[in-house]
Amino acid sequence: MSDLQNTQDDVKAENRIFPPPAEFAAKAAISGMDAYHALCKEAEQDYEGFWGRLAKENLTWHKPFESVLNESNVPFYRWFEDGLLNASYNCLDVNLQNGNAEKVALIFEADDGTVTKVTYRELHAKVCQFANGLKSLGIVKGDRVVIYMPMSVEGVVAMQACARIGATHSVVFGGFSAKSLQERIVDVGAVAVITADEQVRGGKHLPLKSIVDEAIAMGDCEKVRNVVIYRRTGGQIGFTAGRDLWMHELVANQAADCEPEWVDAEHPLFILYTSGSTGKPKGVQHSTGGYLLWAKLTMKWTFDIKPDDVFWCTADIGWVTGHSYIAYGPLAMGATEIVFEGVPTYPNAGRFWSMIEKHKATIFYTAPTAIRSLIKASDADPAVHPLKYDISSLRLLGSVGEPINPEAWMWYHRNVGQERCPIVDTFWQTETGGHMMTPLPGATPLVPGSCTLPLPGIMAAIVDETGNDLPNGQGGILVVKRPWPSMIRTIWGDPERFKKSYFPEEFGGKLYLAGDGAIRNKDTAYFTITGRIDDVLNVSGHRMGTMEIESALVANPLVAEAAVVGKPDDTTGEAICAFVVLKGARPTGDEAKKIATELRNWVAKEIGPIAKPKEIRFGDNLPKTRSGKIMRRLLRVLAKGEAITQDVSTLENPAILEQLKQAQ
Ligand code: 6R9
């Protein structure tokens, strides 16, 4: 399996080049590198003119903007600020007007394979009815609504309905625990929570509503007036009279028309929590105008979306990828898209390929972790190999969430792309709203493992610790030098943290710091992301702060101290490895196993199952400097199982390394 875990050196040495297929390039929205360079040049020569033109051409404005970019309060940039629009209007009404009313918007496939198709006309009606329902609860423009829902038509409807009435949604991934949910409800000050009775994944029913009840019972959720429940399974749930309502009852008598609330371009469309390098998740605030522009435009540029495409992004709406490339981008383009409730391995690991065959998907966008696990599965069982299915409808593939190692890229190219579909390796973040660096499928020659070049208008660069440009071939810190429309606006409730995290003074306060390292190839100037440079882990494409997991561990009464690091993993990219010191004696043997299981479950309760450490090692202490700082650098080496070659003379307690070398 070692070939699935390339080192960064392998990526840097990669020299296979795959030019875009001529047939693809001929029909592409951006065809050939000259067209790409022309757009880049337009942006360089007249930055505001470039973005202003695109915003006018791609969005429908209720009141056109005059001001493109207001930079008077850096880094709180304001885009198209005097324009008025509505995101839901741009995704739905616009499609009713331009001949897409009877076109299928959503192809929903449930966990058990049941398919429901929803046309633009039907989606518009559902969104309007739900928007009217929310209004009847007294929810108004500017209110925050938490959405804790499964992958479903109703999940998309909930997001769009909030957008329609100007309520700011904050979607919390359905895998997060009651505690994580409560923290987000409190931080965002939600007036309502939209949820389902249960979710269904891999044949199992998992609770949602009872977790909402638990979260609210934890306290400080007094602002929540209502909990709206979508009935997914009919499973048993508790019902708090006066607070809880069924979604189907709420919409029953509502009109299928709802005048959109026209909002400023800067009005917060959503707040999405993501991990940073402290224990507290950050509420990333996005705008309406700039965000929607980029969600739509990247559908055109990166995915080359055409009217008869069937687009499938496998992300969950609880992550930013599900926001931009399920809930907003495809609908703003009037596309047909697949929404999938289940998991890639149920009823077997051929599920993705059989769905591509069934729905004739043409564009498929997934995460490297899914690809790696399906490689393993099809090695083990040839019956679920993609080439056993008729996936000839595919014309374009995408990757997102973490670096894709060249071997996984090659497998994806050969076996899913049948050596004829370009692969767009899209680098971006919750904070960037949409793609930042990615090949353009009809223009950019591909190099496995490289996200290639920035999109036109995105001024990405690599700098050193003082903010000075580095030459190609030298690795450094990835920054963006100019603001762009879909960028994060602030951290909800914490503008100081926003400034410090993303526009630090050390870099002059004007460079956007992505939190990733990168290097550009000497010959091609292509970018390769070398990974996070902060204390953020990427496990199966999910972002997690080491501090969050450490805080969760330390909250357990048995634990005195904990340090969490990432270690490379064949399937999940990175795996969580925790070094733990208990208040009592260091456990060994079966007792260590028992406590490790207990702590894993504890973390699942505190944060969610995705944050469970894969490995827990117990020590009498942790390696510390004389000033008491935990040497995470050394723990990373230990976690990898490598020998420590660094100087450890500054360590207070070097003997501890020997003890921590062994797993429990
Ligand atoms: C969209 C999304 C962001 C972090 C980012 C980086 C990593 C995402 C990547 C990639 C290499 C790619 N990342 N895409 N690294 N190549 N194509 O994933 O957002 O959850 O906020 O994660 O993911 O480290 O900084 P988010």
Side-chain angles (χ1 to χ4, degrees), residues 274 319-321 365 399-404 425-431 437 451 514-516 529 531-532 538 541-543:
T274 190
W319 309 117
V320 75
T321 308
Y365 189 38
S399 170
V400 60
E402 51 178 323
I404 179 164
D425 175 1
T426 60
F427 168 83
W428 61 296
Q429 311 175 295
T430 304
E431 293 88 342
M437 297 201 279
C451 59
D516 285 283
I529 304 295
R532 298 289 304 191
N538 192 324
H542 299 150
R543 250 172 90 167

Side-chain angles (χ1 to χ4, degrees), residues 350-526:
R351 183 67 183 265
F352 277 176
W353 326 128
S354 79
M355 281 181 60
I356 290 169
E357 175 177 302
K358 176 151 82 176
H359 302 299
K360 303 206 167 27
T362 58
I363 306 175
F364 180 64
Y365 189 38
T366 195
T369 186
I371 298 166
R372 287 190 299 263
S373 73
L374 296 175
I375 295 175
K376 281 190 181 178
S378 64
D379 280 351
D381 176 8
V384 296
H385 193 280
L387 293 175
K388 289 272 154 54
Y389 299 78
D390 178 5
I391 53 171
S392 57
S393 56
L394 289 172
R395 67 181 196 93
L396 176 61
L397 305 177
S399 170
V400 60
E402 51 178 323
I404 179 164
N405 45 300
E407 290 319 308
W409 193 101
M410 285 306 299
W411 185 91
Y412 197 30
H413 170 69
R414 288 198 186 110
N415 301 298
V416 186
Q418 307 135 89
E419 299 192 19
R420 59 174 178 77
C421 302
I423 298 178
V424 288
D425 175 1
T426 60
F427 168 83
W428 61 296
Q429 311 175 295
T430 304
E431 293 88 342
T432 69
H435 304 152
M436 297 299 276
M437 297 201 279
T438 171
L440 295 170
T444 320
L446 308 173
V447 170
S450 168
C451 59
T452 73
L453 296 167
L455 285 168
I458 302 298
M459 306 303 185
I462 298 177
V463 301
D464 65 14
E465 307 280 331
T466 53
N468 292 314
D469 283 313
L470 284 173
N472 292 352
Q474 214 168 313
I477 299 164
L478 178 65
V479 296
V480 185
K481 292 190 161 180
R482 297 284 286 130
W484 67 101
S486 67
M487 68 194 292
I488 172 176
R489 292 307 194 263
T490 188
I491 291 176
W492 177 257
D494 202 347
E496 274 312 305
R497 191 175 174 199
F498 164 73
K499 273 201 209 171
K500 275 208 203 105
S501 310
Y502 303 109
F503 295 92
E505 277 310 321
E506 304 91 274
F507 291 80
K510 282 182 117 178
L511 292 181
Y512 169 82
L513 216 69
D516 285 283
I519 185 167
R520 299 185 76 163
N521 184 283
K522 270 202 182 120
D523 307 320
T524 57
Y526 277 8

Side-chain angles (χ1 to χ4, degrees), residues 113-124:
T114 310
V115 174
T116 314
K117 293 188 179 172
V118 183
T119 64
Y120 273 93
R121 188 189 302 288
E122 289 162 344
L123 187 60
H124 175 266

